[in-house]
């Protein structure tokens, strides 16, 4: 099956610093990737949709200048949390959508997630 | 807009007992329906999906879900659970358009006891 990786799996940083999280589709090309945020014991909330070669589309309430998304290739999207604060501490999960021309629906495959802790 | 409701935040059940995890959705347009499972500190794994056709869909590990359009439900069932089924289960919907954004329910923690 399709595999999506995330790096790092866990990161601890000081308040005010920036953190970059990578999301890679390992064995397929993904023109669209999604970034989610999950607070403890809560559901996933979509932050933004990342399309290769174009600007990301952010959901309402998500600061695009704080959460920078870059989708430079068909297998890599990055999320950079700028000037991180303790309230940014969360579990960040990406997903990638494989494009199959014959399919009426193209499934999203999820990465294992990145645990961000801001001190 | 779409929304997904999972009324049960936690469902405790004994091993080998049957279980049903409830999911109701609201949408003004046609949607695809999904169940995902999440083990601790891991990402989501697709358990099963309904795209079209037969309203009863099954997974390889014994779970099944039935799409009921009139009741706007997509409940997940398993006739006999194992300890290893302990996890968080999320119901989700996606509009049948080019965005394919997933809208998740709040999740149900299935706790299987010996």
């Amino acid at each position: 099956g399709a595999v999506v990786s995330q790096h790092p799996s866990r990161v601890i940083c000081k308040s005010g610093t920036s953190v970059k999280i990578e999301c890679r589709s390992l064995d397929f090309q993904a023109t669209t990737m999604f970034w989610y945020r999950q607070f403890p014991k809560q559901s996933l909330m979509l932050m933004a949709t990342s399309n290769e070669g174009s600007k990301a589309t952010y959901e309402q309430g998500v600061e695009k200048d704080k959460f920078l998304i870059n989708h430079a290739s068909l297998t890599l999207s990055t999320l950079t949390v700028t000037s991180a604060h303790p309230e940014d501490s969360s579990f960040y999960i990406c997903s990638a959508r494989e494009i199959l021309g014959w399919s009426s629906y193209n499934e999203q495959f999820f990465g294992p997630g990145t645990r961000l802790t801001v001190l | 807009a779409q929304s997904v409701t999972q009324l049960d935040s936690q469902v405790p059940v004994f091993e080998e007992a049957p279980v049903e995890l409830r999911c109701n959705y609201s949408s003004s347009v046609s949607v695809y329906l999904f169940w995902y499972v999440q083990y601790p500190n891991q990402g989501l794994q697709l358990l099963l999906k309904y795209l079209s056709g037969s309203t009863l869909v099954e997974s390889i590990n014994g779970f099944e879900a039935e799409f009921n359009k009139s009741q706007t439900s997509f409940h997940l069932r398993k006739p006999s659970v194992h300890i290893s089924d302990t996890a968080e289960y999320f119901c989700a919907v996606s509009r049948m358009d080019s965005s394919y954004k997933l809208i998740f329910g709040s999740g149900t923690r299935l706790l299987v006891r010996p």
Side-chain angles (χ1 to χ4, degrees), chain A residues 18-111:
Chain A
S18 295
V19 175
K20 180 185 284 187
I21 301 171
E22 292 185 348
C23 176
R24 293 181 185 274
S25 58
L26 297 185
D27 49 3
F28 67 99
Q29 293 184 331
T31 57
T32 304
M33 290 183 172
F34 301 88
W35 287 96
Y36 297 85
R37 183 174 181 176
Q38 185 180 30
F39 290 105
K41 300 187 185 301
Q42 294 188 29
S43 188
L44 281 75
M45 298 299 294
L46 180 65
M47 299 175 65
T49 302
S50 169
N51 293 297
E52 186 267 338
S54 64
K55 291 183 178 180
T57 302
Y58 291 82
E59 294 301 301
Q60 192 172 8
V62 178
E63 299 177 59
K64 61 181 181 180
D65 294 330
K66 180 166 186 61
F67 299 99
L68 300 179
I69 291 173
N70 185 291
H71 194 158
S73 76
L74 288 173
T75 60
L76 173 64
S77 176
T78 60
L79 168 67
T80 301
V81 183
T82 63
S83 186
H85 290 116
E87 56 265 32
D88 297 326
S89 298
S90 189
F91 195 50
Y92 292 87
I93 302 175
C94 74
S95 70
R97 188 164 71 96
E98 182 178 20
I99 302 300
L100 298 173
W102 49 265
S103 176
S104 63
Y105 175 80
N106 296 289
E107 184 175 336
Q108 287 186 40
F109 297 94
F110 285 80

Side-chain angles (χ1 to χ4, degrees), chain B residues 28-90:
Chain B
S28 56
V29 299
S30 296
V31 294
Y32 298 121
L33 296 154
F34 308 86
W35 276 100
Y36 286 88
V37 58
Q38 184 181 35
Y39 298 99
N41 296 310
Q42 294 186 28
L44 273 67
Q45 300 173 30
L46 179 65
L47 194 57
L48 44 76
K49 62 180 181 284
Y50 172 77
L51 303 182
S52 64
S54 173
T55 57
L56 183 65
V57 290
E58 299 177 348
S59 72
I60 58 174
N61 55 356
F63 283 95
E64 64 178 31
E66 186 161 19
F67 168 52
N68 188 317
K69 189 173 183 179
S70 62
Q71 296 185 5
T72 60
S73 68
F74 192 54
H75 301 330
L76 181 69
R77 303 184 184 94
K78 188 170 186 179
S80 177
V81 295
H82 300 131
I83 297 288
S84 60
D85 292 325
T86 294
E88 191 83 21
Y89 291 80
F90 292 98

